[in-house]
Amino acid sequence: MSGTDKECPKTDPTDPTNGQKQIYVQAVLSLALGASAFLGFCFLRPRWKSLYAARKRQSDAALSLPELPDSFFGWMPVLYRVTDAEVLASAGLDAYVFLAFFKMSIKLFGIMFLLACAILVPINKHFDHLPTFGNSTDPHAPDLFLSLGQDDWEFDDMYKGSENKLPDNSYSWAYLVFTYVFSGLIIYFMTRQTLKIVQVRQDYLGSQSTITDRTIRLSGVPRELRSEEKIKQFLEKLEIGKVESVTICRNWKKLDDLMEERARILRKLEEAWTVHLGQPKSIKFEPTAQLAHPGLEDDNEESENHERDNLLGNNHVTTYEKPRPTTRVWYGFLNLQSRKVDAIDYYEEELRKLDDTIIKARKKEYKATPLAFVTMDSIPACQMAVQAILDPSPGRLLAKLAPAPSDIIWENTYLTRSSRMIRSWTITIFILVLTIFWLVPVAALASLVDLCSIRQVWPQLADFLGSHDILKALVQTGLPTLVVSLLNIAVPFLYDYLANKQGMISQGDVELSVISKNFFFTFFNVFLVFTAFGTASKFWPVLQESFKDATKIAYRLATSVKLLAIFYTNFILLQSVGLLPFRLLEFGSVSLYPITRMGAKTPRDYAELVKPPVFKYGFYLPSAILIFILCLVYSILPAGYMVLFFGLIYFVFGYYTYKYQLLYAMEHGRHATGQAWPMICYRIMVGMGVFQVVMAGLIALQKSFTAAVLVLPLIPMTIWYSYYFSRAYEPLTKFVALRSIRRENNADINLADEDFGTDQSVGQLRRRSTTVDESREKGWKFVNPNVVAPLEKPWIEKEPEAESNGETIRLDREDSVESSTSLGDTHIWRENGDENV
């Protein structure tokens, strides 16, 4: 060894007792963070219901949920008793599938933890006195972690001079058996959960009837068919059903720009009125009635009259003595001249001119695009259309299930297919570049885990840390795990922004893309790169050796997994005990609220303050899948029982944290179809493959080559199962089987129930009356809201009609406040509300 190596004695990283101090330090930090966040949530929850009960107060779908007591811990038993049927009825399929993943993980890792404690812990304890790679107690043990990067690396050379100290590798057969057992358990639980989700999904979607369930998205429409009547005739000639309506997407960009400018002027006018009338008092927003969706077309004459009546009456003269606000307008050559004018008069006039322009623009004809939304007269007709090939020419008349009208990103419907492909490939290439960029901070974090790597860069710091065990534990474990966790929180925002720039048609597609992108980051950068390559100085040599001999990356991965056992144990501990309570606390919303509250001026601003935050599955699901994979990879190793225990805690805490948020606190408004489940399953199978490769490498490192070879058949079996899953189960997670669709006007009977033998326990989850989507999508149409939506009036706070000693005060909707189509509710303002924080 070199001099540096001699100064850096290695301890056995496979022995959990060597990292007890690091785990104790991490446990104290995590408990301090988590307990403070949890107690803060319990204290604030009954006092800040506009945040922590926002969905319960503002969503009709949540009205049937049980009320949570205002006591400190009284909400916990009530939340525990909320059933799957109530989750499905209140939050829909997406929430049900998301929570089902956590429930499956709890059952799986509970069984694996018991097996590890009962069988694997005694086996590992019995053999822990034997020499292992990297153990400083064995002077002949090679430094495999460093030797893997050498050109002259040979596996047999590791044992030169140590023939008499070869370890008893009989426990490798136990590792082999449990690799098969745990792989089988995962397949069993995943298949069982998939069958249940498929049956629930088929029953749920087969029983509801919304416009979205009857609508197809038809892309690649040729020029000769780009009219509503021609598309209708074409589809009806195919005899798959009758067409109820057709909406050709046209290039409405000019109209969209006008409406965007109108929204800006409207806010300016509201701010001017607020300056004139004074800042609103402490108020809160509550829904009273559901408005028609902007896609619902009104009577033409009534709609036009409504559009022209866009201000608060004809006479805006007030009796207030307060001077009216002014604004500076620029005019003349190159806008070099300016003068001050009455702000209210100016913005009212600008709004009036814009309204006239918009009314005229709505009557114009716009160029048709190759995209159309076709609503069929029945769900079976829609399902037959999307499951069939409509045209023999490639890329023409491709039918897919349509997103909900409110979920459509209309500005992306104007893009050509080539434009969307260019955007998609550009973002994909940029993400690949980002992946290389992330290697630098991730490799730097990996260096902190190893004191010898710190010594190479900063010897004085390494000496100081070596003499202070607690500080060393904080730097080597606490700091890297915290930074990695913060990266997992921050990076999804970047990928969410990039996904929104790819030109996808719906927010649902964006959500699934964010899940995929964020998982790629967490799995590749946080796990594979962090584990396999370590510090940046080792990245290129290891990569070169891996190209020469693919088996070396397996050995490298297997050894590094053992070396980083304590780090990943602490990572899961921090995620479960330390950071999940902060998700429950909604720390981001709490910390930003004072800033946004200070910036709020108009009634519209105050209404937006109390809108429920949106639950984004792409932000939370990838981290949970990564922890699932980590628990699997470490399940058999000596540290496996600790990893499984903390992983079990993560999924238990995560289940109830996200259950509360999905049901009571956060909104998730798109059409729920449970599309995330196959993505979860495929990524679990990727984790299974990594687990099997790691176990084969670990067994081979103990020179038990027969057992290592017997692990390898699991890899093609996993690949075969993924293929089988894609053929047998995935179509049922995308489409609705025709036998599952219930007869018209009889939602309690479907053909499948007659002789198909559906599971009665699953059948109990069938909705009682109307589903979340049926309630939300009532009256919707596939129309760009900028084409038909009423031109809303400004929201101005005026004197209330009556005071009632702190009771609710309803403002006159006709003369004072008109609802925003973006919020979708009429508004009630209450003075002295519960905004106490």
Side-chain angles (χ1 to χ4, degrees):
M1 290 187 180
S2 64
T4 303
D5 297 335
K6 293 178 181 179
E7 296 174 1
C8 300
K10 299 275 194 305
T11 58
D12 181 11
T14 66
D15 184 1
T17 58
N18 290 332
Q20 283 184 350
K21 183 164 294 186
Q22 295 183 19
I23 293 178
Y24 291 153
V25 171
Q26 186 70 72
V28 171
L29 288 175
S30 299
L31 284 171
L33 288 171
S36 60
F38 179 74
L39 294 176
F41 167 77
C42 292
F43 175 78
L44 292 176
R45 186 188 63 83
R47 294 167 174 80
W48 200 351
K49 292 185 179 180
S50 61
L51 176 65
Y52 294 116
R55 184 172 185 270
K56 173 68 174 173
R57 298 174 67 184
Q58 299 187 29
S59 174
D60 292 338
L63 294 178
S64 61
L65 290 172
E67 291 288 343
L68 298 181
D70 288 342
S71 56
F72 206 74
F73 298 118
W75 59 277
M76 298 172 67
V78 179
L79 180 68
Y80 174 80
R81 290 192 292 268
V82 175
T83 63
D84 287 346
E86 290 175 304
V87 170
L88 195 63
S90 171
L93 267 174
D94 287 340
Y96 173 79
V97 165
F98 182 78
L99 294 177
F101 169 62
F102 279 78
K103 289 185 70 174
M104 181 194 75
S105 302
I106 292 170
K107 296 175 184 177
L108 173 64
F109 292 131
I111 294 175
M112 290 173 65
F113 174 69
L114 293 177
L115 290 175
C117 290
I119 302 175
L120 288 172
V121 168
I123 291 175
N124 287 321
K125 186 176 181 180
H126 176 72
F127 289 96
D128 66 354
H129 66 282
L130 298 173
T132 58
F133 298 121
N135 193 336
S136 60
T137 60
D138 181 8
H140 300 285
D143 188 355
L144 178 64
F145 192 75
L146 296 176
S147 64
L148 278 171
Q150 304 299 324
D151 291 336
D152 57 351
W153 183 86
E154 294 291 342
F155 186 80
D156 292 336
D157 291 345
M158 295 189 301
Y159 286 96
K160 291 179 179 178
S162 59
E163 290 81 0
N164 297 327
K165 292 182 176 292
L166 290 178
D168 181 4
N169 57 14
S170 58
Y171 67 94
S172 299
W173 293 97
Y175 281 15
L176 170 65
V177 171
F178 274 92
T179 303
Y180 274 84
V181 170
F182 286 171
S183 296
L185 280 174
I186 293 170
I187 294 294
Y188 170 76
F189 275 98
M190 189 165 60
T191 303
R192 184 183 176 200
Q193 191 66 54
T194 300
L195 287 171
K196 184 175 181 180
I197 287 175
V198 163
Q199 292 180 7
V200 169
R201 184 181 187 275
Q202 295 290 315
D203 183 81
Y204 183 87
L205 295 180
S207 67
Q208 75 176 12
S209 180
T210 69
I211 187 172
T212 305
D213 296 311
R214 294 184 289 112
T215 303
I216 64 175
R217 185 181 78 190
L218 198 63
S219 59
V221 179
R223 294 185 183 277
E224 61 270 17
L225 288 181
R226 290 181 191 176
S227 72
E228 285 78 359
E229 188 59 33
K230 289 181 179 179
I231 291 177
K232 181 178 181 180
Q233 291 175 0
F234 167 78
L235 289 174
E236 289 185 345
K237 284 180 181 178
L238 298 178
E239 297 183 355
I240 57 176
K242 292 185 178 180
V243 175
E244 186 176 285
S245 65
V246 178
T247 299
I248 287 278
C249 294
R250 301 180 182 275
N251 192 345
W252 291 299
K253 188 176 187 310
K254 180 180 179 181
L255 186 58
D256 292 343
D257 293 340
L258 289 173
M259 291 295 288
E260 185 178 350
E261 177 65 13
R262 187 186 189 278
R264 187 186 69 83
I265 296 296
L266 189 67
R267 284 187 175 270
K268 290 287 187 181
L269 178 58
E270 290 171 349
E271 291 177 7
W273 272 109
T274 301
V275 170
H276 183 53
L277 300 177
Q279 192 84 354
K281 297 179 180 179
S282 179
I283 52 182
K284 74 174 183 179
F285 159 75
E286 291 181 350
T288 57
Q290 190 76 18
L291 285 184
H293 185 266
L296 183 62
E297 296 187 62
D298 300 326
D299 180 77
N300 291 336
E301 182 178 353
E302 181 181 351
S303 177
E304 185 166 335
N305 291 337
H306 181 73
E307 289 171 350
R308 292 185 180 279
D309 184 23
N310 55 13
L311 300 177
L312 306 183
N314 296 324
N315 187 7
H316 57 259
V317 178
T318 67
T319 57
Y320 295 98
E321 297 181 358
K322 191 173 181 179
R324 291 165 66 87
T326 60
T327 186
R328 183 175 296 277
V329 296
W330 297 84
Y331 63 95
F333 180 71
L334 297 178
N335 285 334
L336 295 178
Q337 295 177 279
S338 67
R339 60 187 175 89
K340 286 187 176 182
V341 298
D342 184 285
I344 295 176
D345 285 341
Y346 175 74
Y347 290 123
E348 282 185 351
E349 179 61 20
E350 289 293 308
L351 198 62
R352 184 193 63 78
K353 291 189 294 186
L354 265 177
D355 288 350
D356 291 339
T357 304
I358 290 171
I359 293 171
K360 294 177 182 177
R362 285 179 170 180
K363 297 177 180 179
K364 293 181 179 179
E365 286 291 330
Y366 295 91
K367 182 181 178 182
T369 68
L371 186 67
F373 294 101
V374 183
T375 301
M376 309 299 291
D377 65 335
S378 66
I379 297 178
C382 175
Q383 289 294 324
M384 284 189 285
V386 298
Q387 297 181 46
I389 298 176
L390 303 183
D391 193 273
S393 302
R396 282 174 42 127
L397 298 172
L398 304 176
K400 295 183 179 180
L401 290 171
S406 63
D407 198 39
I408 297 173
I409 307 173
W410 288 98
E411 63 185 20
N412 290 343
T413 63
Y414 320 147
L415 299 175
T416 62
R417 182 182 301 174
S418 59
S419 298
R420 283 196 290 270
M421 289 182 62
I422 291 173
R423 285 192 180 198
S424 179
W425 279 106
T426 302
I427 296 297
T428 301
I429 294 172
F430 183 69
I431 288 176
L432 292 176
V433 174
L434 272 180
T435 301
I436 299 174
F437 168 78
W438 292 126
L439 295 177
V440 177
V442 170
L445 287 173
S447 301
L448 292 176
V449 179
D450 185 9
L451 195 62
C452 296
S453 298
I454 298 177
R455 188 178 301 278
Q456 293 176 1
V457 178
W458 194 348
Q460 295 82 2
L461 177 61
D463 294 336
F464 178 77
L465 294 176
S467 59
H468 298 80
D469 291 339
I470 294 180
L471 283 177
K472 184 174 81 170
L474 284 173
V475 172
Q476 286 191 279
T477 303
L479 181 60
T481 54
L482 180 61
V483 175
V484 168
S485 300
L486 292 177
L487 271 177
N488 279 341
I489 295 173
V491 169
F493 287 96
L494 172 61
Y495 285 170
D496 180 66
Y497 171 79
L498 293 175
N500 277 282
K501 296 297 182 182
Q502 282 190 274
M504 297 179 184
I505 300 298
S506 70
Q507 286 295 340
D509 294 337
V510 172
E511 187 86 54
L512 296 177
S513 176
V514 173
I515 293 175
S516 179
K517 289 176 173 59
N518 286 332
F519 175 78
F520 177 75
F521 166 76
T522 57
F523 180 72
F524 183 79
N525 288 97
V526 175
F527 177 66
L528 286 182
V529 173
F530 195 96
T531 303
F533 301 110
T535 62
S537 61
K538 299 173 185 176
F539 174 77
W540 183 244
V542 172
L543 194 61
Q544 285 180 313
E545 290 301 315
S546 301
F547 286 141
K548 295 178 182 178
D549 186 354
T551 59
K552 293 186 179 181
I553 191 66
Y555 288 126
R556 178 78 182 194
L557 186 62
T559 308
S560 298
V561 161
K562 297 172 70 175
L563 288 168
L564 293 171
I566 300 302
F567 170 79
Y568 282 123
T569 302
N570 289 330
F571 173 75
I572 299 173
L573 174 59
L574 177 64
Q575 288 284 326
S576 58
V577 179
L579 297 183
L580 271 177
F582 279 92
R583 295 201 185 278
L584 194 64
L585 182 65
E586 295 185 45
F587 181 75
S589 298
V590 172
S591 58
L592 291 177
Y593 182 83
I595 300 174
T596 54
R597 180 63 185 266
M598 287 188 296
K601 301 176 182 178
T602 66
R604 187 187 302 272
D605 295 337
Y606 280 95
E608 291 174 348
L609 274 178
V610 293
K611 286 175 60 180
V614 178
F615 188 95
K616 294 190 175 183
Y617 297 94
F619 282 44
Y620 311 122
L621 190 54
S623 296
I625 300 175
L626 174 65
I627 291 176
F628 185 102
I629 293 174
L630 289 174
C631 291
L632 176 60
V633 168
Y634 282 98
S635 57
I636 299 178
L637 300 184
Y641 72 96
M642 289 192 301
V643 176
L644 287 172
F645 176 70
F646 292 130
L648 186 61
I649 291 176
Y650 172 84
F651 284 103
V652 171
F653 286 5
Y655 175 76
Y656 290 104
T657 295
Y658 295 129
K659 186 177 183 180
Y660 178 90
Q661 291 185 324
L662 285 166
L663 296 181
Y664 289 93
M666 304 180 79
E667 194 54 83
H668 31 97
R670 65 185 182 88
H671 191 83
T673 56
Q675 288 290 304
W677 183 252
M679 298 185 70
I680 294 172
C681 292
Y682 286 128
R683 281 147 185 80
I684 288 176
M685 285 182 266
V686 170
M688 284 179 58
V690 173
F691 164 64
Q692 292 153 7
V693 169
V694 167
M695 293 311 302
L698 285 172
I699 295 173
L701 288 176
Q702 302 301 328
K703 276 204 164 181
S704 183
F705 296 115
T706 303
V709 170
L710 290 176
V711 174
L712 297 180
L714 280 173
I715 299 174
M717 287 174 61
T718 303
I719 296 173
W720 172 85
Y721 180 80
S722 66
Y723 173 77
Y724 171 76
F725 183 92
S726 68
R727 297 295 299 269
Y729 298 120
E730 188 176 2
L732 292 171
T733 64
K734 290 184 177 181
F735 308 114
V736 179
L738 299 182
R739 296 183 68 183
S740 298
I741 300 172
R742 284 178 171 75
R743 296 168 180 168
E744 292 291 334
N745 303 322
N746 197 343
D748 294 327
I749 299 176
N750 70 331
L751 296 177
D753 287 335
E754 296 178 4
D755 59 359
F756 197 53
T758 55
D759 187 355
Q760 292 300 317
S761 63
V762 175
Q764 294 175 359
L765 298 180
R766 184 179 303 165
R767 49 96 169 182
R768 298 173 184 173
S769 55
T770 60
T771 65
V772 178
D773 296 324
E774 284 178 323
S775 176
R776 183 189 298 126
E777 298 177 20
K778 186 177 181 181
W780 285 8
K781 289 189 177 181
F782 280 85
V783 181
N784 186 340
N786 288 335
V787 178
V788 297
L791 302 178
E792 58 177 330
K793 299 177 183 179
W795 292 12
I796 308 297
E797 185 187 29
K798 299 186 73 175
E799 289 297 322
E801 293 182 351
E803 298 284 349
S804 54
N805 297 324
E807 297 297 325
T808 299
I809 300 171
R810 186 186 300 272
L811 299 183
D812 187 280
R813 180 183 171 198
E814 183 72 22
D815 295 331
S816 57
V817 178
E818 177 166 333
S819 302
S820 167
T821 56
S822 61
L823 293 177
D825 294 309
T826 53
H827 305 120
I828 294 176
W829 302 97
R830 176 181 295 172
E831 294 186 355
N832 302 321
D834 64 346
E835 305 290 336
N836 296 325
V837 180

